[in-house]
Amino acid sequence: MPARNTVKQYTENGYYHIYNRGVEKRLTFQDKQDYAVFLSYLKEYLLPKKEKELREKLSDPNTSYKEKDKIIKLLRLNNFSDEVILISYCLMPNHFHLLIKQKSSDSIHKFMQSFTTRYTMYFNRKYKRVGSLFQAVYKAVIITANEQLIYLTKYNHKQALASQGETLQEQPSSYNEYLGLRNTSWVHCKKILDYFSKNNPDLSYKAFVEEKNENLNILKEIIIED
């Protein structure tokens, strides 16, 4: 029988909690470079491709062969800026969480297949290994209520905070975007932040994330770690 949430039911304009971890629970991020590469790939997939600029630079006689090779690879690279919206993320040493809205019913499937394959190729080259990096097929569960959506961002951001003690944002997540400390155009916070006060610290998103009382019943259907 397939593991829970490995068989997906995708819908247009649906919100999904996406999760996967390293095969045999191995580390999928071993240093800061690994985290940076994973995030750089997210950026390249989720920002619109500047195809006109790239082609102009490609045809420029002053562009070096090395630069042209890089441009050709970028032009060939899949792009999902019109298909996938990233609401929040959290990267942990042996797994990751993404909260995503897809526009068409197969956007996430295409995105995850291309994205994880690319990161696995990078990781295997760097660490001189072969085979799968992630455990089987990624898991995905649909979000059916706004309350679930809001609490899932909290759950993911609290994981990052808990892993780093009291030093803010050493563990990569989108929490800085939600606090307004960093502006990343491919992380879309507005839908969540609209539920919170920008002027009253007691009703802010930060207060919500850092409060002690947890309502895990809201999340029991959408937390998919195993």
Side-chain angles (χ1 to χ4, degrees):
M1 180 179 293
R4 182 171 175 256
N5 297 314
T6 57
V7 177
K8 294 94 175 171
Q9 294 182 335
Y10 286 137
T11 62
E12 292 182 3
N13 296 311
Y15 290 86
Y16 290 84
H17 179 198
I18 308 292
Y19 166 87
N20 211 345
R21 71 178 181 188
V23 63
E24 299 175 343
K25 300 184 180 180
R26 68 162 296 141
L27 294 180
T28 52
F29 306 100
Q30 295 195 24
D31 58 25
K32 289 184 178 180
Q33 182 188 36
D34 295 344
Y35 287 118
V37 167
F38 190 96
L39 293 174
S40 72
Y41 289 172
L42 279 179
K43 178 181 178 180
E44 289 176 353
Y45 277 111
L46 298 178
L47 278 184
K49 188 184 295 185
K50 297 179 180 179
E51 191 164 334
K52 183 179 178 181
E53 289 182 22
L54 290 172
R55 293 195 179 280
E56 287 176 352
K57 194 167 184 180
L58 185 63
S59 61
D60 187 339
N62 295 317
T63 303
S64 68
Y65 286 110
K66 185 176 181 180
E67 288 178 304
K68 286 184 178 182
D69 183 60
K70 184 178 180 180
I71 291 169
I72 290 170
K73 289 178 181 177
L74 286 173
L75 286 169
R76 290 174 177 170
L77 184 69
N78 289 326
N79 186 268
F80 297 90
S81 60
D82 291 330
E83 300 179 59
V84 169
I85 297 172
L86 180 65
I87 308 298
S88 69
Y89 70 85
C90 170
L91 310 184
M92 303 298 284
N94 72 347
H95 67 275
F96 65 82
H97 297 269
L98 305 176
L99 176 52
I100 286 175
K101 179 184 179 182
Q102 67 171 4
K103 294 187 178 179
S104 64
S105 59
D106 62 350
S107 297
I108 286 176
H109 172 71
K110 293 187 296 182
F111 167 71
M112 290 301 298
Q113 186 176 48
S114 179
F115 180 79
T116 55
T117 297
R118 187 181 179 201
Y119 181 76
T120 298
M121 290 173 64
Y122 151 79
F123 191 93
N124 285 354
R125 282 195 307 269
K126 179 176 177 180
Y127 296 106
K128 297 179 173 58
R129 67 181 297 275
V130 295
S132 299
L133 173 61
F134 294 103
Q135 181 178 288
V137 181
Y138 66 91
K139 295 185 177 182
V141 60
I142 192 167
I143 311 301
T144 57
N146 282 338
E147 195 171 26
Q148 288 180 331
L149 197 66
I150 295 165
Y151 270 85
L152 185 59
T153 69
K154 174 181 180 177
Y155 171 78
N156 288 342
H157 291 150
K158 286 200 80 163
Q159 281 202 64
L161 290 173
S163 72
Q164 63 202 24
E166 307 211 351
T167 305
L168 182 64
Q169 289 313 291
E170 288 183 356
Q171 195 65 40
S173 79
S174 51
Y175 193 43
N176 268 343
E177 279 78 11
Y178 278 74
L179 297 184
L181 301 177
R182 182 172 60 215
N183 182 22
T184 303
S185 59
W186 45 272
V187 177
H188 299 267
C189 314
K190 186 177 184 303
K191 180 177 176 66
I192 305 300
L193 292 179
D194 280 349
Y195 289 94
F196 298 91
S197 173
K198 297 178 177 62
N199 303 313
N200 185 342
D202 293 334
L203 300 176
S204 67
Y205 183 78
K206 184 176 187 292
F208 170 68
V209 170
E210 297 179 8
E211 68 183 357
K212 301 298 181 183
N213 296 326
E214 298 292 343
N215 188 352
L216 294 180
N217 286 331
I218 295 172
L219 295 175
K220 65 181 180 180
E221 297 299 324
I222 57 175
I223 294 177
I224 51 179
E225 292 174 84
D226 56 6

